[in-house]
């Protein structure tokens, strides 16, 4: 991947260029290696010819992260202005009540105090003290506190450098890495980007978990972008983030999250994945439920902003708040899922519920959910079910945020090297139905019936004509999200097959059992424009192919090392005939052993 980059020419006009690199004479490593400079967005980094630290496939990831943080900076400023206005009016005696930490917080249900009464009282007292103390100094011109960013697994620092150079309104950025070589590379790259960046970005050699645990509620933006699973970092990440702060979290262990080894997923994330066609969205929901679970331990909860499944990884953006009351609603935001082993029909089994009835205090009550929600035998094909979860069942995106992010990004599209892909992904996200988890796959349903699939437009129209909502999914071009029950969807398919007959099957299959039943609903396939994607109708791309071959995750740093790196790594590193790296443990310097140990502890897959 690096080889073709060094051939490209760099423009020297300083404009934000797309990804490119140019060989640099005279800059050499300790072992005499020549570097090239790679520019992505406005940041430069030093790069070996085939550097494991640079992953071009992640340009989209970094672009979207920048777009979301820009929106966060703007949102924080608005919230600060609102808070100042509130404090000023309170000082004038207009109000004596204390509101929720944020007006956008969902599920702000008033609840019975009961067991948490003591905690809540303590919390309110703390809030009051802080508020009173700060009110003395607040004026209309009081600026918001500078935003502190933690890039917890920074590697070469490219992400932190892009944040520092491209996002206005950030105070300081700490870039930690447990690998000394990476920290040294990061320090070189900080210098390379000039004194303004050097004053803002600090590289630290630290175990991210320890660093986050010892810096409680200090960071407004925390970015976790590990190789593989983030699971071991979550417990400390939810503690280091300030109230209302933004957590950005990537998971690249998609095989695990998508159900290849369900028990491994359970051990890492506390949830059983199912191998459904909706698995990429389920992966997002498992990760969100896991973050929520860690947050709840510290009386905190998450509010998802945007949750993305892109290529070979998932990345979620959530805000983290503290409220002993709100976390009581967590079980009602989670669900198990039953999936039929015959026809892939799926049904939800919520974990908890909030009763509509109020008690004498006029507050909601939290109860276990009612179940089972289905019979043991599939009503469509008579097979049994697998049960997965629990997973996040509440919305995974916030519509207002998505539209803000899209508008802001569009207004400065030249600043994003991967703008087209960013725009297509967020456009697809913006069209998703928010209150319906997961999606069906039309080709999969047709394969069960062994029929020719109807076009998405025809199927979507039939669902809309039956009185239900339907949308696409950013996670799968063939995915369809709908609030129509499974029996309605199968009835539409039964009607489709009546118009497009299939061959009779010799033995009873899930498909033949489904088709043996007469549809109760008479599907209307008349095309309805309202059922279709607005972006598609306007010719706006929702799915773009990847721009080059070999698009995918780079090997974990240190796993595949070229001859050039062998020399730099020292005499204790040897390459085996199969191309793997052999490290003689008796000769490994102490720091390196520690780094290896941490990577093993992280639970590589
Ligand atoms: Zn079934």
């Amino acid at each position: 991947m690096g080889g073709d980059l060094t051939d490209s020419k760099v423009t020297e006009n300083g404009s934000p260029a797309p990804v490119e690199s140019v060989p640099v004479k005279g800059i050499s490593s300790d072992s005499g290696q020549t570097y090239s400079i790679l520019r992505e967005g406005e940041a430069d980094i030093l790069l070996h010819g085939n550097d494991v630290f640079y992953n071009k496939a992640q340009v989209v990831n970094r672009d979207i992260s920048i777009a979301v943080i820009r929106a966060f900076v703007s949102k924080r400023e608005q919230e600060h202005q609102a808070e100042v206005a509130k404090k000023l009016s309170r000082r004038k005696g207009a109000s004596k009540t204390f509101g929720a930490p944020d007006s956008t917080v969902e599920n702000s249900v008033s609840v019975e105090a009961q067991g948490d009464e003591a905690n809540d009282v303590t919390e309110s007292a703390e809030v009051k003290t802080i508020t009173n103390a700060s009110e003395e100094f607040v004026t209309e011109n009081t600026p918001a506190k500078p935003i502190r960013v933690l890039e917890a697994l920074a590697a070469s620092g490219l992400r932190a450098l892009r944040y520092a150079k491209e996002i206005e309104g950030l105070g300081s950025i700490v870039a930690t890495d447990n690998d000394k070589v990476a920290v040294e590379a990061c320090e070189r790259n900080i210098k390379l980007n000039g004194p303004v960046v050097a004053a803002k970005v600090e590289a630290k050699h630290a175990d991210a978990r320890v660093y986050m645990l010892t810096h409680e509620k200090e960071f407004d933006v925390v970015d976790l972008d590990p190789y593989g699973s983030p699971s071991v970092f979550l417990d400390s990440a939810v503690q280091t983030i300030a109230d209302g702060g933004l957590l950005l979290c990537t998971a690249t262990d998609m095989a695990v999250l998508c159900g290849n080894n369900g028990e491994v997923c359970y051990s890492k994330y506390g949830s059983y994945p199912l191998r459904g066609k909706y698995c990429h969205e389920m992966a997002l929901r498992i990760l969100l439920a896991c973050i929520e679970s860690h947050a709840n331990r510290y009386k905190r909860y998450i509010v998802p902003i945007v949750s993305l499944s892109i290529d070979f990884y998932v990345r979620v953006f959530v805000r983290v708040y503290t409220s002993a009351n709100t976390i009581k609603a967590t079980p009602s935001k989670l669900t198990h899922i039953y999936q039929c082993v015959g026809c892939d029909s799926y049904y939800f089994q919520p974990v908890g519920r909030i009763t509509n009835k109020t008690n004498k205090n006029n507050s909601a009550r939290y109860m276990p959910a009612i179940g089972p929600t289905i019979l043991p035998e599939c009503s469509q094909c008579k097979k049994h079910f697998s049960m997965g979860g629990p997973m996040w069942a509440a919305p995974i995106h916030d519509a207002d945020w998505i539209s803000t992010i899209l508008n802001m990004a569009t207004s400065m599209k030249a600043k994003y090297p991967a703008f087209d892909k960013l725009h297509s992904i967020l456009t697809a996200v913006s069209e998703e139905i928010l209150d319906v988890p997961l999606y069906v796959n039309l080709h999969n349903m047709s394969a069960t019936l062994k029929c020719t699939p109807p076009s998405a437009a025809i199927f979507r129209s039939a669902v809309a004509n039956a009185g239900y909502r339907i949308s696409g999914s950013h996670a799968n071009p063939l995915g369809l999200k709908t609030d129509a029950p499974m029996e309605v969807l199968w009835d539409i398919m039964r009607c489709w097959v009546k118009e497009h007959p299939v061959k009779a099957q010799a033995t009873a299959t899930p498909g033949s059992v489904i088709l043996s039943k007469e549809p109760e609903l008479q599907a209307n396939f008349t095309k309805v424009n309202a059922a279709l994607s607005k972006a598609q109708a306007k010719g706006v791309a929702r799915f773009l192919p990847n721009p080059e071959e070999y698009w995918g995750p780079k090997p974990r740093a240190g796993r595949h090392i070229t001859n050039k790196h062998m020399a730099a790594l020292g005499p204790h590193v040897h390459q085996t005939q199969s191309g793997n790296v052999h490290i003689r443990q008796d000769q490994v310097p102490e720091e390196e052993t520690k780094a290896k140990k941490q990577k093993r502890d992280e639970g590589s897959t």
Side-chain angles (χ1 to χ4, degrees), residues 19-95:
V19 182
E20 55 193 328
S21 75
V22 64
V24 180
K25 298 272 172 358
I27 301 176
S28 61
S29 73
D30 299 340
S31 57
Q33 296 303 308
T34 301
Y35 289 95
S36 59
I37 291 182
L38 176 130
R39 165 161 288 196
E40 184 187 298
E42 293 178 28
D44 295 325
I45 59 166
L46 292 168
L47 193 72
H48 278 300
N50 186 26
D51 204 312
V52 290
F53 287 139
Y54 185 67
N55 187 350
K56 195 177 177 183
Q58 294 277 3
V59 181
V60 182
N61 180 326
R62 287 184 281 268
D63 269 8
I64 292 178
S65 302
I66 287 169
V68 175
I69 297 174
R70 279 190 174 130
F72 175 75
V73 171
S74 153
K75 181 82 176 163
R76 277 289 287 241
E77 182 55 32
Q78 288 168 21
E79 288 170 0
H80 170 73
Q81 296 298 342
E83 188 63 21
V84 167
K86 205 162 89 184
K87 282 177 182 170
L88 291 175
S89 78
R90 198 151 54 205
R91 193 190 292 165
K92 287 174 192 162
S95 165

Side-chain angles (χ1 to χ4, degrees), residues 207-480:
D207 182 324
R209 295 167 299 181
V210 176
Y211 190 85
M212 291 191 286
L213 268 182
T214 50
H215 293 78
E216 200 181 335
K217 295 192 180 178
E218 280 192 19
F219 292 97
D220 306 290
V221 176
V222 176
D223 193 341
L224 280 181
D225 193 56
Y227 292 100
S229 170
S231 59
V232 297
F233 299 105
L234 295 177
D235 204 67
S236 38
V238 297
Q239 295 180 72
T240 197
I241 199 154
D243 272 329
L246 179 70
L247 173 63
L248 306 84
C249 178
T250 305
T252 64
D253 54 339
M254 290 304 280
V256 168
L257 281 164
C258 287
N260 276 0
N261 296 292
E263 66 286 358
V264 177
C265 185
Y266 193 86
S267 69
K268 289 187 176 185
Y269 297 95
S271 177
Y272 234 113
L274 295 175
R275 299 186 68 173
K277 295 294 174 192
Y278 48 65
C279 68
H280 288 142
E281 188 177 315
M282 187 170 188
L284 284 167
R285 292 178 178 276
I286 288 172
L287 178 57
L288 289 170
C290 185
I291 299 173
E292 172 80 352
S293 145
H294 285 286
N296 282 177
R297 285 158 215 195
Y298 308 100
K299 296 194 170 61
R300 315 195 85 186
Y301 65 98
I302 63 166
V303 178
I305 300 305
V306 52
S307 309
L308 303 175
S309 162
I310 305 173
D311 301 330
F312 49 85
Y313 62 92
V314 287
R315 184 151 165 91
V316 299
F317 304 77
V318 303
R319 294 187 80 181
V320 178
Y321 296 96
T322 306
S323 164
N325 280 339
T326 306
I327 64 171
K328 292 177 187 174
T330 295
S332 64
K333 299 175 192 170
L334 302 175
T335 187
H336 288 281
I337 171 168
Y338 296 111
Q339 183 185 293
C340 174
V341 300
C343 68
D344 287 348
S345 293
Y346 56 81
Y347 302 89
F348 299 112
Q349 170 62 66
V351 174
R353 67 193 163 107
I354 304 173
T355 60
N356 290 326
K357 281 182 194 167
T358 54
N359 62 9
K360 59 183 187 299
N361 297 327
N362 204 27
S363 52
R365 295 187 69 209
Y366 299 98
M367 310 281 282
I370 293 168
T373 50
I374 51 163
L375 297 170
E377 191 178 73
C378 176
S379 60
Q380 301 301 312
C381 78
K382 310 298 176 200
K383 298 282 186 186
H384 64 274
F385 291 97
S386 298
M387 189 179 87
M391 64 171 196
W392 185 259
I396 61 174
H397 318 295
D398 180 305
D400 288 344
W401 274 81
I402 302 289
S403 109
T404 304
I405 296 163
L406 253 178
N407 291 339
M408 286 178 73
T410 306
S411 71
M412 48 203 306
K413 63 170 96 170
K415 300 269 186 188
Y416 295 98
F419 175 79
D420 289 346
K421 181 120 188 183
L422 173 154
H423 189 265
S424 70
I425 292 167
L426 292 179
T427 300
V429 165
S430 72
E431 297 198 330
E432 286 184 11
I433 297 176
L434 290 178
D435 57 354
V436 177
L438 309 186
Y439 44 82
V440 296
N441 180 305
L442 201 46
H443 287 205
N444 190 43
M445 292 179 83
S446 303
T448 300
L449 302 181
K450 302 200 184 327
C451 69
T452 316
S455 74
I458 285 179
F459 187 80
R460 288 171 74 139
S461 297
V463 171
N465 286 330
Y468 298 96
R469 293 174 296 148
I470 187 158
S471 80
S473 159
H474 82 281
N476 186 330
L478 295 173
L480 292 172

Side-chain angles (χ1 to χ4, degrees), residues 117-190:
E117 194 167 7
N119 294 326
D120 293 348
V121 168
T122 314
E123 198 176 83
S124 311
E126 278 170 18
V127 170
K128 197 169 183 175
T129 313
I130 293 163
T131 310
N132 285 343
S134 52
E135 267 177 23
E136 292 170 23
F137 305 103
V138 167
T139 71
E140 276 163 14
N141 300 320
T142 303
K145 275 198 254 169
I147 290 176
R148 296 197 69 198
V149 181
L150 175 65
E151 179 61 42
L153 306 149
S156 67
L158 174 57
R159 188 185 295 269
L161 292 168
R162 283 199 64 189
Y163 291 173
K165 279 210 140 175
E166 296 176 40
I167 305 173
E168 276 182 41
L170 296 185
S172 60
I173 300 174
V174 176
T176 68
D177 203 291
N178 203 25
D179 179 356
K180 209 170 180 182
V181 177
V183 176
E184 283 164 9
C186 188
E187 281 168 345
R188 275 197 302 270
N189 290 330
I190 290 170

